[in-house]
Amino acid sequence: MNKTALLSQLDEIIEKYGGLKDNLLQILLDLQKVSGHNYLPEECLEEISSQLNLPLSKVYEVATFYSMFNHEPKGKYIIEICNSAPCHVEGADDLTQLFEDVLGIKVGEITTDGIFSLQHSSCFGACDISPAIKIGTEVYGNLTKEKIEEIIKEYRGE
Amino acid sequence: MAKIVQLISKNCGKIKPDSVTDYVNAGGYAGLKKAMEIGPAQIVEEVKKSKLMGRGGAGYPTGKKWEQGYVRKTVFEYVVCNGDEGEPGTYKDKLILSQNPLLLMEGMTIAAYIFGIKEGYIYVRGEYYGLKEMLNNAIKNAVEANYLGKNIMGTDFSFNIHVVWGAGAYVCGENTALLESIEGRSGRPRQKPPYLSQEGLYKKPTIFQNVETYSNIPYIVEHGGDEYASYGTECSGGTKLVCLSGNVINKGVYEVPFGTPIRELVYSLGGGVSNGRKLKFVQLGGSSGACFTEEKLDTPMCYKALKDNELKLGSGALLVVDDSNCVIDFLKTITGFFIHESCGKCTPCREGNTRIYEILDRFSKGRGKPEDIDDLYRLSNLMDITSFCGLGQAATTALKDCLKYMREEFDEHIEGKCRAGVCNLT
Ligand SMILES: Cc1cc2nc3c(=O)[nH]c(=O)nc-3n(C[C@H](O)[C@H](O)[C@H](O)COP(=O)(O)O)c2cc1C
Ligand code: SF4
Ligand code: FES
């Protein structure tokens, strides 16, 4: 999405939340959703600061405190592999290795086609199907190499 | 044989979660109706009799908390529900939020009714964002059916519920940090006192409970506190949602009466250790919870019995760890979690977790020394005593327990041996 279109979407989001600074977190969550690359562009944070009448430093403080917010463009889809204890004892390390092999990137990187980012995450409550991954709001568990390849194909639209 | 008693989970998966019609047909809102018949004083009395203890982790008696507010005539402004559920291995609040949120909302409405509160907030962790539309629909439908909003059920009592989303921060489960987050700031804990019943959300007196805690209220009011209490033990009333995870055959959420021995949770409900392996230890209450081996497995799940054994129920997460795992490697995972989740406000927690990780890392590389063990004790005691909030205070619970019950594995690593063959000792 181009900058002007994104800024006008941001206006709508801010208006939806009444322009209230209490809703900063909710505004940032929505902004990251529409950004296209799962991140909070700097000029948007500046715009939020001026519209909510909050010092930019305060906006930054909140935007950098929470782990779901990103500050650089990410892949279209972020694959999050849980590395908390319950998934760890069920083989999260092996799963990470599988994803790294299949995608050809390391944790923290983006695929060259810009479709996927690979990250670790704290527990997201899918421990009953551990080791688990999350892509956006979808969770997947009990994964095998075949299943992983299938999921990746599906997201790539192949 | 461990038995399952479904007081609050019975409709999960059986009704359309945002449908008021389904909920009412399954017996929903009988608690709220009864609440309005018996009135505030009697509701508080029933909750007290129920021996319901907060289900979020701390286990404070809910009835006692509400009675104090009621007797002191505290003018509460807000009802807040903690749906942050960040403790690894815990996914029971998700069960209610995703499959029967109207039960939780009914419980919050009853709490609001006692104190004449008009506004309620459910703070849900950002990881559950997929539930947003459904939860908003549930509220909308409840308002349309007059179970929420203006003049509920034709009375002069009005109450609204708002859903607020977190964005990935375990510390926001701490009650004051959660309020900071609702107010749109970073989730760093506040100084206590003042307590939430004095200065909570927007500095106003606030009723604050966990998802599961509120969800028990409709049953308690409808059937009476005594009946609810009768399912549990002398000191712990009713049932608990337990989450089984790790190297266990039947992972899942189970509602069981208090008094059920931990062993039965693992072996009868959980079906035992998976892949034919042997149990090494369990961790109760999430990553901040206690680790213990075989010898304490017969402890009944009851606040007092657990306390007598220096254990805590915490969130109700039960992680099973088999003998293919290495204690040092496990503790590195736990400590890594707390490094990631520390809010950085106070030095003992911000620095302590990192220092502990460095020491554990040395052990896992065969470079641990006997004096490192003293440092591990020293650091964990220091963090326990001086950390600003519960996160730093409990971050080393697992470490201390592992040192206590599995010390020999630390010594073996010093000697260059990892019995599980997990560590690459060079
Ligand atoms: C670091 C930390 C994290 C916590 N996380 C949660 C949580 O995710 N959910 C929860 O209900 N309580 C959590 N608690 C406990 C809450 O502070 C609080 O005691 C509880 O929500 C009160 O509700 P209850 O009495 O109904 O349990 C946490 C506490 C600490 C110190
Ligand atoms: S113990 Fe200190 S640094 Fe750790 S989470 Fe609590 S306030 Fe933050
Ligand atoms: S521990 Fe991985 S989802 Fe909970």
Side-chain angles (χ1 to χ4, degrees), chain A residues 22 61 66 88 90 122 125, chain B residues 94 185-186 202 251 329 341:
Chain A
D22 305 29
E61 197 211 322
Y66 296 91
H88 178 78
E90 283 279 85
S122 292
Chain B
K94 183 172 99 174
R185 289 188 291 274
S186 306
Y202 297 109
K251 296 194 265 278
D329 178 67
E341 300 299 343

Side-chain angles (χ1 to χ4, degrees), chain B residues 65-66 68-70 73-79 115-118 196-198 204-208:
Chain B
K65 189 152 93 181
W66 292 8
Q68 282 166 353
Y70 192 71
K73 300 197 165 55
T74 306
V75 185
F76 286 102
E77 291 268 343
Y78 299 106
V79 174
F115 299 103
I117 299 169
K118 293 191 177 62
L196 270 51
S197 55
Q198 304 162 301
K204 297 283 195 266
T206 299
I207 291 283
F208 188 100

